[in-house]
Amino acid sequence: MELELEKITLPGVDEKRPLVIAGPCSAETEEQVMETARQLAGRGIKIFRAGIWKPRTKPGGFEGVGVDGLPWLKEVKQETGMYIATEVATAKHVFEALKAGVDILWIGARTAANPFAMQEIADSLRGVDIPVLVKNPVNPDLELWIGALERINQAGLKRLAAIHRGFSAYDKRIYRNLPQWHIPIELRRRIPDLPILCDPSHIGGKRELIAPLCQQAMDLGFDGLIVESHCNPDCAWSDAAQQVTPDILDYILNLLVIRETNQSTENLNELRKQIDECDNDLIQVLAKRMRVAREIGTYKKEHGMTILQTGRYNEILEKRGSQGASCGMDADFIKKVFDAIHEESIRQQMEIINK
Ligand code: PEP
Ligand code: MN
C-alpha cells in the first residue's frame, strides 16, 4: 500500500533541515513547563514537546500529570508562540489533546507496537487534519512501523512523519535503545516522501550521546530531531539522565554539520556506517583475543613456560595467511596484521609474567 502524504509545513518554522522539536520528557509542573519553554523559545526552538501521559514499564513510576498539564501547554503556545506537541496513546488522549489545541501529536513506541491501539487512535482522528509523528515500535519490525503509519493514513491524515527512537535490547550497553540505522534507512527507501526524525534522547539514554547521534542522523539524511530538554535535567521526574538544558541543546545544534542530501552522499554515508560497524566489531574481537592471551600468560607463568612459543606463532601466521588469501586479501598484509596482534599479545603476557 502506498501512503498518501502531504508535506508538514508550519508557518514560522524554517523548512531547512533539521526540523527541531524540543522539550521535557514530561510536563511536571506549570513552572517547569513554562521555564523550559521560555528558555527554548529564547534559543529559537519553534516546536515544544512535553509528555502529558507517560507510558511506564512498571506501575508506580511517574505516569504523567494527565489533563491537568494541558493548560500549561496552552500557556506555552500563548506566551511563546511555539507549536505544542504531545504523545497520545488512546482515543481519550486524542480527544483531550485536540480540545486543548495541541498542534502536533506523536505516538509512542509502545503504542506503535500495538495494532489495536493504533487503530483506536486512527479512528479517533478520522476527519482531523493534524500532523502525526509515529515512533518506531519498541521491537525492530519495519512492517509493524509502516502498518502503524498506514492505519493513521487510512483515517485520512496525510501530514505524517516517522520518529526513529531505537529498538529495545535485552542487554543494554552503550545505547538505551539500539539504533539499528538500517531500519529507518530501509523505511526511507520504501517511503521516500515520509519525513524521518531522530530521537537521540531515547536512543542514547544519556546526555553525552545526544550530540553524536544528532550528527549521525543528519549525516544519514534525516529530516529532523526531537530532543528532550529540561530546565533542570538532574531533577526531572522521568528520563533525567538523557535530558539536556536548553543551553546545551542550543550548543549541540549549533555544532551540527548539515551536509547536502543527495543520493551519492547518502549512499556513501550508509557505507561509512557499515565501516564503522565493522571497526567496532574488530575492536571487540581484538579485546576478547587479548583477554584470552592474558589468561594464557597466567598459565605460562604458573607452569614456568616461556612466553614466546615459536612453533605456535608460525602456525598462526601460516594458517591465517592462506585463509586471508582465500578471502581475497594479500597474504603479506595478513602477516603484518597478525604480527602486530601477536606483538601486543606478547606485551600483555609480559606484563602478567613480570607482575
Ligand atoms: C517519550 O518521548 O518521552 C517517550 C515515552 O518515548 P518512547 O515512546 O520513544 O519510549
Ligand atoms: Mn522520555
Side-chain angles (χ1 to χ4, degrees):
M1 195 207 107
E2 288 254 317
L3 292 195
E4 216 181 297
L5 298 170
E6 266 171 28
K7 212 168 159 193
I8 303 179
T9 40
L10 303 162
V13 179
D14 210 330
E15 285 198 24
K16 66 181 205 296
R17 288 196 313 143
L19 175 78
V20 178
I21 302 175
C25 177
S26 309
E28 299 165 2
T29 64
E30 183 177 2
E31 294 66 39
Q32 169 253 6
V33 166
M34 293 313 298
E35 182 55 28
T36 307
R38 282 184 199 116
Q39 291 186 22
L40 287 169
R43 284 157 187 81
I45 303 294
K46 306 280 190 212
I47 311 171
F48 184 77
R49 66 148 281 160
I52 290 288
W53 301 280
K54 301 303 299 178
R56 303 318 298 255
T57 302
K58 288 190 176 151
F62 172 59
E63 299 195 317
V65 289
V67 288
D68 293 349
L70 288 168
W72 310 336
L73 298 190
K74 250 181 159 166
E75 203 182 329
V76 167
K77 190 165 158 169
Q78 275 157 9
E79 193 189 303
T80 69
M82 277 194 277
Y83 291 93
I84 52 177
T86 201
E87 173 175 349
V88 289
T90 66
K92 180 165 180 302
H93 295 167
V94 170
F95 174 78
E96 296 292 352
L98 294 178
K99 198 169 72 175
V102 169
D103 302 291
I104 297 170
L105 303 176
W106 87 77
I107 290 159
R110 294 157 190 80
T111 311
N114 179 345
F116 291 125
M118 283 310 304
Q119 195 55 51
E120 177 190 315
I121 294 168
D123 291 341
S124 73
L125 280 169
R126 203 170 286 278
V128 181
D129 180 21
I130 187 170
V132 180
L133 319 177
V134 181
K135 288 197 166 196
N136 64 260
V138 281
N139 49 322
D141 185 338
L142 179 60
E143 299 311 319
L144 196 57
W145 195 1
I146 293 177
L149 287 154
E150 282 177 356
R151 285 178 201 277
I152 302 291
N153 196 224
Q154 282 179 3
L157 290 94
K158 298 185 178 147
R159 293 191 290 156
L160 305 183
I163 299 175
H164 169 231
R165 50 77 78 195
F167 303 89
S168 52
Y170 180 69
D171 61 342
K172 299 183 173 49
R173 290 182 181 209
I174 300 175
Y175 301 105
R176 174 178 176 191
N177 291 295
L178 300 179
Q180 308 221 50
W181 295 102
H182 60 282
I183 297 176
I185 288 168
E186 175 63 7
L187 178 65
R188 166 61 39 96
R189 194 187 68 77
R190 294 267 296 270
I191 315 175
D193 293 334
L194 179 73
I196 307 180
L197 280 70
C198 177
D199 175 344
S201 314
H202 291 89
I203 294 176
K206 36 180 151 352
R207 279 165 214 155
E208 315 83 84
L209 291 178
I210 292 177
L213 284 165
C214 286
Q215 185 62 57
Q216 228 169 330
M218 288 301 101
D219 291 345
L220 289 170
F222 280 45
D223 303 275
L225 302 165
I226 175 165
V227 188
E228 288 189 337
S229 178
H230 190 291
C231 56
N232 187 0
D234 286 331
C235 298
W237 298 0
S238 59
D239 291 351
Q242 68 190 36
Q243 303 206 57
V244 290
T245 60
D247 246 347
I248 297 285
L249 175 65
D250 188 49
Y251 177 76
I252 291 172
L253 295 176
N254 282 325
L255 283 183
L256 286 180
V257 178
I258 310 295
R259 299 174 179 93
E260 282 296 313
T261 52
N262 59 54
Q263 205 49 42
S264 69
T265 55
E266 246 175 51
N267 290 345
L268 191 58
N269 285 328
E270 161 56 11
L271 293 170
R272 289 190 173 139
K273 180 87 220 341
Q274 291 184 35
I275 289 282
D276 284 345
E277 275 171 21
C278 292
D279 288 350
N280 205 15
D281 291 348
L282 274 175
I283 296 283
Q284 293 197 4
V285 172
L286 280 175
K288 181 172 177 187
R289 194 187 191 284
M290 293 304 159
R291 274 201 303 280
V292 177
R294 285 198 298 273
E295 270 186 49
I296 293 179
T298 308
Y299 182 92
K300 286 176 180 166
K301 180 178 186 176
E302 282 164 0
H303 293 80
M305 293 163 72
T306 58
I307 288 184
L308 191 61
Q309 305 278 316
T310 327
R312 170 68 179 147
Y313 180 43
N314 284 336
E315 179 197 321
I316 289 177
L317 287 185
E318 253 169 55
K319 198 158 115 194
R320 299 305 170 201
S322 60
Q323 192 187 10
S326 75
C327 296
M329 288 179 281
D330 186 79
D332 267 351
F333 159 71
I334 295 294
K335 183 175 175 298
K336 273 187 217 150
V337 169
F338 277 90
D339 266 341
I341 293 174
H342 187 252
E343 195 180 316
E344 174 64 9
S345 291
I346 297 287
R347 191 191 65 76
Q348 297 211 11
Q349 291 189 353
M350 294 278 265
E351 255 178 30
I352 287 174
I353 294 204
N354 294 325
K355 225 185 339 204

